[in-house]
Structures are given as C-alpha cells and as structure tokens.
Amino acid sequence: SSGINAEYGGLRIDIFFSAGTLTQYVKIDYAEKISSGTSFEADNILKLLADITPGGFTTNYVEFTVDLEMNRKFHPPGTLVDSYTKGDRVFDVYYATFEDEKFRNYHNRLQVFILWYIDAASYIDDEDPGWNLYTLYERITDSSGDTKYRSMGFLTAYSFYNYPRRTRQRISQVLVLPPFQGHGHGAHLLSTMYNHVSADPAIFDITVEDPSENFTRLRNFVDTVKCSNLAAFAPDKLKLGFSQAMADEARERYKITAIQSRAEGIRCDQDTRAAARVSGEIIP
C-alpha cells in the first residue's frame, strides 16, 4: 500500500511460488526504514502478508529449495476429469471438494492468487461442503521419464438447492494465471466443468455470480460452441427463431439456463447468417 511505501525507502517485495505445490518464499528488501530512530513504528510487512496467506510462506531460501525438491513428487489432489493437448504439451483438469484434506491444504496456497488478480475477491469458506473446485495443471514428463505438474488455474462453483429435489451450480471464481492466459485454457476449463456437471442428473443448471466482462465473453464463447453442436440449434431451426426445444436441449445437455440459451440462439443465428453470406446462401 502507499502507507507502507511511505514507511520504507526503496521497498521491494518478491514472492516466489513452486510450480506444483505452490509453496511460497517471500523476500523483502529496502534501503531505509523511515521509522528507525523515531517513536513511530512502521508496519510489519511479514505479519501483513501472513494475515492474507492462509497457506503460509517461508523467508528462508534454503527451506524453499528443500520444498522445490519435494515439488518433484507433487501429484494433483482430487479426481482427474479431463486431459487435453496443445501441440506437444499436455494439460489435466482435476475435480475436488474440501472433504479432501490434501486438496484443502493445497487450496490454502492456491487461493492467494485471487487477491492479486481478481478485483474485490475474497476467500471462500473451506468448511462449507457446498463448494466444488476444478484445478488446471500442465503435466510435464522430463527426459528421465519422471512426471511433474505445473499449477495453472482453477474454477470454483457452489451448489444451491433448487426446488423440489435438485441443485444449481453457481460459478464463483475462475482464474487462469497470467503466464498461461491467451491460449484457450480458460475456455477449456469452463467447458470441462460443463461436461462434468452435465453427467449429474441431480443438477438443474449452471449460473454465474456477478460475472466480469472478461468472464462474460468467455462464457458466451463456450456456450455458443456448445449450443452450436445441438440438434435444436441446427441452421434450419435457427431460421425459425428461438424455441422451447432449444432451451430444453441446452439445459438438459449442458445445464445452460434458458436466458443464456436464448442469447446463444441469437449468436448462433448470427454466425449462421455470416457463413451464409460468405457461401452466397440468402437467409431471411
């Protein structure tokens, strides 16, 4: 904060994470502590960081290097629900809940990223059994045949009651870490969540909590791709306008809400019209 900057001259805070386990090493450097020799006490930076870092950290570089060696043995907690490739790189998506203690400990270290990269974000309650989490990793096999994992991002969703005997999944947080953004991983993570949830007949649909503009664009893209593969959204059906059959199939197959599927019907129709103009076909 600006207050801390005023208390320390030449302040620099570096936070390092191991790629898989996300153990943290914090290094603080400053040229001058402004309050030295006065009655004014400068803020304790390590305490301030500790207050917002439930997974803890070390300030000892040797300890961190030991953790880096342990990182080689890291395997993602939870259940593998999808794998995909981009070129010669392999990526995995795992599903977990907080009933898994190993995952809960990992999430304590993972969740700190939302404070750096999501505006007005807050931590979720890991004592609440309603949370469902999807985590994304790159799976790397080295020259010796050993497999290592690199943490890349996550998606959280909460289960709400839906009358009379079903539940509704509400997406709360989605984050792909900056080094991995711009390569379609967010769309694949969201699509994987859709596919996983769609297999559960007890879930009625998927909604989103206060989506940002960026997430809205991502969701619209994924929903449009999903809907475009459904029979109810075939080009000849789109010519007739939105129908109840479209809403029903989008919800039953991918848990997409009726309001969202209507918007996707419009987008799919616009794509169909654009393709028709290119091919020369006239669609009224």
Side-chain angles (χ1 to χ4, degrees), residues 29-282:
D29 290 311
Y30 54 87
E32 181 184 10
K33 193 172 182 180
I34 305 303
S35 59
S36 297
T38 72
S39 59
F40 178 78
E41 186 64 30
D43 284 321
N44 185 328
I45 297 175
L46 290 177
K47 182 181 183 306
L48 293 174
L49 287 174
D51 289 343
I52 61 171
T53 311
F57 57 81
T58 181
T59 58
N60 186 308
Y61 180 73
V62 175
E63 287 183 8
F64 184 62
T65 58
V66 173
D67 287 336
L68 289 179
E69 288 301 315
M70 294 299 296
N71 188 73
R72 298 176 182 273
K73 301 178 182 179
F74 170 75
H75 188 279
T79 303
L80 178 66
V81 292
D82 190 31
S83 296
Y84 64 98
T85 60
K86 287 183 179 292
D88 59 354
R89 300 172 70 179
V90 182
F91 305 93
D92 294 333
V93 180
Y94 280 74
Y95 167 77
T97 67
F98 289 130
E99 293 179 358
D100 183 336
E101 185 175 356
K102 181 181 177 183
F103 176 77
R104 182 186 296 190
N105 292 333
Y106 169 77
H107 180 262
N108 275 338
R109 300 186 295 274
L110 174 68
Q111 66 180 339
V112 72
F113 287 111
I114 68 171
L115 299 185
W116 312 136
Y117 299 117
I118 299 180
D119 289 341
S122 59
Y123 292 153
I124 61 178
D125 180 7
D126 63 7
E127 298 291 334
D128 191 328
W131 287 105
N132 304 272
L133 299 98
Y134 298 81
T135 46
L136 175 63
Y137 307 86
E138 181 176 8
R139 178 171 18 117
I140 303 169
T141 303
D142 62 24
S143 58
S144 63
D146 293 333
T147 300
K148 298 188 287 292
Y149 293 88
R150 179 179 294 161
S151 298
M152 296 173 56
F154 64 96
L155 179 154
T156 66
Y158 192 82
S159 296
F160 286 91
Y161 171 70
N162 182 259
Y163 181 84
R165 291 181 298 274
R166 304 176 82 178
T167 61
R168 164 175 280 143
Q169 291 279 308
R170 179 177 294 174
I171 296 172
S172 176
Q173 302 164 333
V174 180
L175 176 64
V176 174
L177 298 179
F180 310 105
Q181 293 177 5
H183 300 284
H185 295 298
H188 208 109
L189 179 60
L190 181 59
S191 180
T192 297
M193 183 264 188
Y194 276 32
N195 294 340
H196 187 247
V197 167
S198 297
D200 188 346
I203 297 175
F204 182 74
D205 62 12
I206 300 170
T207 61
V208 181
E209 177 185 348
D210 299 327
S212 66
E213 290 184 9
N214 285 338
F215 181 77
T216 297
R217 286 193 292 271
L218 173 67
R219 180 193 187 191
N220 290 344
F221 169 76
V222 171
D223 287 1
T224 300
V225 171
K226 294 290 190 188
C227 288
S228 67
N229 293 320
L230 300 177
F233 289 78
D236 60 322
K237 304 289 181 58
L238 291 171
K239 298 176 186 178
L240 304 177
F242 185 76
S243 66
Q244 187 60 44
M246 291 178 178
D248 292 342
E249 188 175 13
R251 182 183 57 77
E252 291 170 5
R253 182 63 185 85
Y254 294 118
K255 312 297 185 180
I256 296 174
T257 65
I259 293 176
Q260 187 71 6
S261 62
R262 177 183 290 274
E264 301 322 318
I266 296 172
R267 274 184 278 272
C268 287
D269 191 27
Q270 290 173 339
D271 291 343
T272 300
R273 289 172 182 269
R277 291 192 201 95
V278 173
S279 66
E281 180 185 355
I282 304 300

Side-chain angles (χ1 to χ4, degrees), residues 1-17:
S1 72
S2 58
I4 293 177
N5 284 333
E7 297 164 3
Y8 293 85
L11 177 63
R12 178 186 174 98
I13 303 174
D14 291 309
I15 303 177
F16 301 85
F17 293 81

